[in-house]
Amino acid sequence: MEAWQTHEVTNQSPALLDYNLYLQDHALREALQREGASWAAPQLEQWGAELGRAEAHDNGRLANEYPPVLKTFDARGHRVDQVEFHPAWHQLLHDVARRGLHTGPWSETRPSAHVARAAAYLLQTQVETGTLCPTTMTYGVIPVLRKGPTWVQSWLSTLYSKEHDPRDLPFSMKKGGLLGMGMTEKQGGSDVRSNSTEARRLNGDEYLLRGHKWFFSAPMCDAHLVLARSSSGLSCFFVPRWRPDGSKNAIHIQRLKHKLGNRSNASSEVEFHDAWAILLGEEGRGVPTIIEMGTYTRLDCAIGTAGLMRQGLSQALHHANHRQTFGKKLCHHPLMQNVLADLALESEAATALAMRLARAFDQQEDEAETIVRRLLTPAAKFWVCKRGCEFMEEAMEVLGGNGYCEDYNLPRMYREMPVNSIWEGSGNIMCLDVLRALQKNPRAMDVLAHEMQAGAAHPLLDRHRDGIMQRLKTETAQEAMARRLTQDLILGVQAALLLRHAPPYVAEAFCQSRLAHDWGYTYGSLGPTVHFSAILERAWPTRG
């Protein structure tokens, strides 16, 4: 009897591996140049090649397939409060530290260091995002520590190290470190002013904390910034994992959160049983102290979502260029070209905005750039992150059933999208922050108008901008309108960026689809005059 032959597998797109994430991204390369960090291009090219390899993507998969495990006690009953991670997690963090994503702009004085980091962060996000939670928190905490007490500042040289040291040891014995934060409690969430954790002064800047945190991010970090209530009100404290005397601090991990996404990263609930802490900033001024940190972490939410968008787009374009349907490549069907081109516009606009924002963080002394940071960072976090979930769903749909299967990276990235909206202030909080920024600084409207200038008259953008300026005279006092105002504000800034810097066929397609009508929009609804093939060639130069 003739042996049965296994059927041949045909018309399946190959895995997207062994390509250079940086060289393949025209929009990112151009943004790096115009925002002043062209010096970083050779390094980014090297990292882009590393991040495109199978090994990097395997590490991202393994770190999420084998999530962290809480080990509260050792075999003999001693309390240890340790979290164990898969080796892939540590390899990813080793690469993050080597690339300086946690503290690079603070330890190096090169011009546009935050822009260069933003580009690297956008690339890293396309491989794995859970490891970027402690990375981002460390990045955001550093400027607060630099103004802290002497003992806290003594940590900086080790934090600036490009080594990842996962050992659970007193910080003085470590070669590198990471920082986390714990702000929210059961009863309050984003309303941190309702926090009940108490801080009792020992002497000087030293306190003991007693209470809990409902979300305590990355509990294996070497220290956390924590809000607690002292006799003078809500204050910010630096809470190390180990006390200065070498004993373990009284931070008891109750459990790890079972989350929708971000599974490689441990998020926890903790209790403080007279945990030792040192005051950061002025007592009773905890919220203003953490606001500075929050601006940096919110920037990373926007950058990270832009990176996830880019990877989703790359997967969709790659698949469409290999899959044959109804007698021709999927990418040659006009309706699919519309969907893919629309995703490409969204991705490029998100990248342009993220990189523009990063430049504002490099110009700390410039008043206008300070307003840009304060106003546009929460606005960008709101809008870019809100667009992320729908974006990734469309990217998955391009791959059909395959895109819905966990063998591919898109389901994991789809689950990552909501955390960037929720973490560091949900959508409503961001929009209320935008209103406050507009109300508090008399120059804010002028700076905003400047950011929505295309450099030459453009009917759609001019009408859009003038309409926003008119609405700002009344709507900054109307909380119920804050989401729509923030959405329109960011669309205007994105349109202006593309009109100034992107090819006309990209900028005009964005303006026609985002500014020409009262906004209610589904991807794949571009008009008939859009130059689909040019947009797709720009987004994916190797397409067929």
Side-chain angles (χ1 to χ4, degrees):
M1 180 181 296
E2 184 177 349
W4 183 78
Q5 298 294 319
T6 302
H7 73 278
E8 182 182 2
V9 177
T10 62
N11 201 25
Q12 287 283 335
S13 58
L16 178 54
L17 297 170
D18 298 322
Y19 75 109
N20 193 306
L21 276 65
Y22 176 70
L23 292 182
Q24 197 75 0
D25 192 342
H26 275 315
L28 179 61
R29 290 160 58 194
E30 292 170 7
L32 185 83
Q33 178 79 27
R34 69 171 173 267
E35 304 299 355
S38 57
W39 56 266
Q43 188 69 79
L44 289 167
E45 182 176 343
Q46 178 185 331
W47 293 342
E50 294 172 358
L51 290 165
R53 293 172 188 158
E55 179 185 4
H57 291 269
D58 282 344
N59 284 333
R61 174 182 60 82
L62 289 168
N64 284 272
E65 286 186 2
Y66 299 94
V69 176
L70 174 62
K71 187 177 181 181
T72 311
F73 299 92
D74 68 12
R76 290 162 181 78
H78 302 111
R79 182 142 201 148
V80 293
D81 291 294
Q82 292 180 335
V83 181
E84 296 180 342
F85 294 87
H86 189 277
W89 164 272
H90 293 298
Q91 181 58 52
L92 288 163
L93 276 179
H94 168 79
D95 292 337
V96 163
R98 175 169 58 86
R99 295 172 184 134
L101 298 186
H102 60 322
T103 59
W106 307 117
S107 61
E108 301 170 1
T109 57
R110 300 194 73 165
S112 300
H114 289 277
V115 170
R117 176 195 176 270
Y121 192 99
L122 192 148
L123 297 176
Q124 186 77 34
T125 304
Q126 298 181 52
V127 170
E128 207 281 323
T129 59
T131 43
L132 294 179
C133 177
T135 302
T136 284
M137 291 188 293
T138 306
Y139 169 63
V141 168
I142 292 296
V144 179
L145 298 193
R146 293 170 85 175
K147 295 181 282 189
T150 302
W151 185 79
V152 171
Q153 291 190 34
S154 71
W155 283 49
L156 291 173
S157 60
T158 302
L159 291 170
Y160 291 159
S161 165
K162 292 188 176 181
E163 288 191 54
H164 169 57
D165 188 344
R167 297 175 299 166
D168 186 16
L169 294 171
F171 196 69
S172 60
M173 301 172 65
K174 298 192 66 174
K175 299 178 180 179
L178 291 169
L179 303 173
M181 59 186 182
M183 305 297 170
T184 60
E185 299 180 2
K186 294 183 179 76
Q187 71 280 0
S190 295
D191 183 10
V192 295
R193 296 186 187 278
S194 69
N195 283 9
S196 61
T197 296
E198 297 178 351
R200 178 170 57 87
R201 187 192 297 269
L202 280 175
N203 55 73
D205 291 331
E206 297 181 43
Y207 290 73
L208 294 179
L209 305 189
R210 184 171 294 180
H212 82 284
K213 292 299 169 184
W214 187 232
F215 278 90
F216 194 74
S217 299
M220 288 305 292
C221 285
D222 298 287
H224 288 73
L225 259 60
V226 170
L227 285 177
R229 194 167 296 282
S230 72
S231 59
S232 299
L234 201 60
S235 305
C236 183
F237 296 91
F238 183 80
V239 186
R241 184 164 170 78
W242 292 78
R243 295 164 64 112
D245 63 8
S247 63
K248 183 70 72 73
N249 210 358
I251 307 166
H252 294 174
I253 305 174
Q254 301 304 102
R255 64 171 177 171
L256 301 185
K257 296 289 192 181
H258 187 54
K259 300 172 293 184
L260 169 68
N262 210 242
R263 294 177 179 174
S264 67
N265 177 46
S267 301
S268 65
E269 301 166 21
V270 301
E271 291 182 356
F272 305 121
H273 294 265
D274 286 339
W276 185 88
I278 191 166
L279 179 69
L280 284 180
E282 183 181 347
E283 189 174 6
R285 297 279 295 167
V287 172
T289 300
I290 67 167
I291 282 176
E292 179 178 9
M293 176 194 68
T295 304
Y296 289 96
T297 54
R298 289 170 178 180
L299 170 67
D300 273 5
C301 288
I303 299 170
T305 301
L308 288 169
M309 284 180 171
R310 176 61 197 180
Q311 180 59 203
L313 175 66
S314 298
Q315 293 289 339
L317 289 169
H318 173 75
H319 175 79
N321 274 276
H322 287 87
R323 183 76 164 179
Q324 293 279 338
T325 61
F326 307 106
K328 56 185 175 182
K329 284 187 176 183
L330 183 58
C331 64
H332 292 162
H333 290 273
L335 187 53
M336 180 55 71
Q337 289 183 333
N338 197 320
V339 171
L340 294 171
D342 212 352
L343 293 175
L345 294 178
E346 193 76 28
S347 175
E348 178 157 352
T351 295
L353 177 62
M355 295 294 281
R356 163 64 187 100
L357 268 180
R359 172 161 58 88
F361 286 75
D362 278 309
Q363 300 176 5
Q364 296 283 333
E365 305 304 320
D366 187 287
E367 182 185 3
E369 294 300 306
T370 298
I371 294 172
V372 168
R373 292 194 302 274
R374 182 69 184 89
L375 174 61
L376 293 188
T377 304
K381 180 186 181 300
F382 166 73
W383 182 242
V384 173
C385 296
K386 276 284 177 282
R387 294 292 281 162
C389 291
E390 185 181 354
F391 185 103
M392 198 59 73
E393 189 278 329
E394 285 287 357
M396 291 169 63
E397 194 169 313
V398 173
L399 275 69
N402 283 354
Y404 193 67
C405 293
E406 295 288 348
D407 306 279
Y408 290 73
N409 64 355
L410 292 182
R412 168 161 55 90
M413 294 189 168
Y414 180 74
R415 289 193 302 272
E416 294 293 346
M417 283 297 193
V419 73
N420 285 334
S421 274
I422 296 169
W423 188 54
E424 283 301 284
S426 58
N428 284 356
I429 299 297
M430 293 301 98
C431 295
L432 294 175
D433 269 5
V434 170
L435 292 190
R436 280 189 286 270
L438 288 166
Q439 292 164 355
K440 285 186 175 181
N441 195 310
R443 286 199 59 200
M445 289 178 61
D446 290 339
V447 170
L448 176 60
H450 175 76
E451 292 297 316
M452 288 192 285
Q453 295 284 349
H458 189 278
L460 287 175
L461 178 59
D462 293 347
R463 185 184 68 184
H464 184 84
R465 181 187 62 250
D466 293 346
I468 289 176
M469 292 299 112
Q470 185 63 35
R471 288 158 56 193
L472 287 176
K473 296 176 181 179
T474 58
E475 289 187 14
T476 54
Q478 298 181 27
E479 180 179 313
M481 303 304 297
R483 280 191 172 220
R484 182 55 186 263
L485 180 64
T486 302
Q487 165 190 303
D488 290 346
L489 182 156
I490 282 297
L491 286 172
V493 173
Q494 287 181 318
L497 283 167
L498 295 183
L499 284 166
R500 289 199 300 269
H501 305 300
Y505 55 82
V506 169
E508 289 300 331
F510 185 89
C511 291
Q512 288 288 340
S513 57
R514 272 69 170 175
L515 305 184
H517 52 77
D518 192 35
W519 227 77
Y521 192 81
T522 298
Y523 289 115
S525 301
L526 299 176
T529 61
V530 169
H531 198 338
F532 297 132
S533 60
I535 294 172
L536 295 178
E537 180 63 34
R538 174 175 171 80
W540 198 244
T542 59
R543 63 184 293 272

